[in-house]
Amino acid sequence: MTEDPTLRRLAGANPAPTAPLSPAETARAEAILERIMARPETAGRPATQRRRWWARAAAAGTALAAVIAAGVLGTAPASAELVLLEAAGNAASQPVGDGEYWYVHEQVVDSGMGPDEIGPYDREVWRSRDTFIIRSEESAARAAAEHGDSAFDLSLVRVRDLSDAVEGGGTPGFGGNPQYTWDELGDLPTDPSALAEELALGLPTSGHGHDWDVWSQAVSLLQGSPARPELRRALWQVLAGIPGVELVGRASDSAGRDATAIRADFADLGGEELLLDPASGALLETRLSDGEGTVLLSTTVLDQGPRDTAPVAEPPLCGPGSVPDKSC
């Protein structure tokens, strides 16, 4: 019997097949098994670990075959872990593409940093190995909220070059804190256990626990980095290994796209809900909430991918030496 609690529940909940699987059912079971169990083999892994892994895979195959043979795959009991593992398998098959810049277009609603809700406003970022260009409507959104206006003054919005914004020089990277350069991102391991350890290295103590620190770093890389397909798979697998993650169910993100929602709660912090598309392995939206479930910050990824060009930085609104995003 597998030691994996999720697979134990799945196997126990499904009726035993009463007839052999048809060729179509067999193919379907094998495809699903390959998708959710995909995991690169690490050289030199002890034989006992390999035996445990293949025992887990065999148990998963038995459980999935029972579901399919009974014709109840669409109504089988789901879990956040299985949803995340499905996203992992499918993310590994999505090419990243080539381009000088990695472009991310997000829509943000900030409800927790002041008395007024800020947004929704757009934020666009173009990152290369030595360039960081950003166009954000945040300043215009905050000004509108302060004055009770529904429309933004887009004259406050400027394309800014923050390539030297890192203290001591250097270009802002990918992830939370610490950040990774483009080359460092390419060196991150793709074994989920090794990756979880690597993500924890150098993380400042947030006060919200180790699980939150690793979770937030993995989410940040999925949300806005040129992580290669194998690394995206491993990032989703890291999230699947965080204890206490729960399946919320079907949802729609702020752009109206169909999604599956999962949620994790972290001690005194509150929780974060992820809206994802398991079929593509894409993270669509994050919702950070307080302990009472009130959403404090929502970030929707409208687009991300490689680009060959980026806009040219604009001068500050009030001329050289002025604050770039403040009205005169």
Side-chain angles (χ1 to χ4, degrees):
M1 187 62 161
T2 177
E3 61 189 27
D4 187 289
T6 299
L7 296 177
R8 274 205 309 270
R9 290 196 301 272
L10 179 62
N14 295 311
T18 57
L21 295 179
S22 69
E25 289 169 338
T26 300
R28 190 178 177 197
E30 290 175 351
I32 296 173
L33 176 61
E34 181 179 357
R35 192 167 69 235
I36 70 168
M37 301 302 290
R39 175 174 176 172
E41 183 65 24
T42 302
R45 177 176 293 166
T48 54
Q49 292 185 17
R50 289 197 296 271
R51 284 196 295 270
R52 285 197 297 268
W53 173 250
W54 287 112
R56 185 171 183 258
T62 300
L64 286 168
V67 176
I68 294 168
V72 294
L73 183 61
T75 59
S79 74
E81 183 185 15
L82 290 180
V83 169
L84 291 169
L85 290 175
E86 182 182 1
N90 288 324
S93 65
Q94 301 294 325
V96 172
D98 297 319
E100 182 178 353
Y101 300 91
W102 188 255
Y103 171 73
V104 180
H105 181 191
E106 299 173 325
Q107 189 174 83
V108 181
V109 178
D110 185 344
S111 304
M113 300 301 291
D116 301 311
E117 180 175 280
I118 310 300
Y121 63 86
D122 284 3
R123 180 172 61 206
E124 297 173 274
V125 173
W126 295 258
R127 286 186 179 95
S128 72
R129 283 175 166 77
D130 56 5
T131 306
F132 185 99
I133 303 294
I134 183 170
R135 180 190 182 277
S136 175
E137 296 176 350
E138 180 178 2
S139 59
R142 291 192 179 280
E146 290 173 2
H147 294 92
D149 297 331
S150 58
F152 297 168
D153 180 1
L154 294 181
S155 69
L156 298 175
V157 180
R158 284 289 185 269
V159 175
R160 303 175 62 188
D161 186 344
L162 301 181
S163 300
D164 297 320
V166 175
E167 185 176 351
T171 303
F174 301 98
N177 185 14
Q179 295 186 330
Y180 301 97
T181 67
W182 205 304
D183 291 335
E184 289 170 341
L185 195 67
D187 291 335
L188 287 176
T190 56
D191 174 83
S193 297
L195 179 60
E197 293 179 5
E198 182 68 28
L199 294 179
L201 292 177
L203 282 175
T205 302
S206 67
H208 303 301
H210 174 270
D211 288 342
W212 162 253
D213 294 338
V214 172
W215 168 279
S216 61
Q217 185 71 303
V219 168
S220 181
L221 291 175
L222 285 168
Q223 198 167 28
S225 83
R228 60 198 189 278
E230 298 84 1
L231 180 57
R232 289 187 178 273
R233 174 175 62 191
L235 289 166
W236 283 120
Q237 290 172 329
V238 167
L239 294 179
I242 299 290
V245 183
E246 297 182 350
L247 177 65
V248 177
R250 294 181 180 178
S252 295
D253 73 357
S254 299
R257 297 171 294 188
D258 292 337
T260 299
I262 61 138
R263 178 180 174 84
D265 290 296
F266 299 95
D268 60 334
L269 177 68
E272 185 166 44
E273 195 168 293
L274 305 184
L275 276 66
L276 62 141
D277 177 10
S280 67
L283 177 57
L284 304 178
E285 184 171 292
T286 60
R287 297 173 180 172
L288 188 66
S289 59
D290 61 18
E292 298 180 353
T294 301
V295 176
L296 304 177
L297 182 67
S298 173
T299 305
T300 308
V301 181
L302 299 177
D303 188 19
Q304 70 169 314
R307 296 291 189 273
D308 293 323
T309 61
V312 176
E314 298 172 311
L317 183 64
C318 301
S322 63
V323 179
D325 54 0
K326 294 295 184 182
S327 171
C328 300

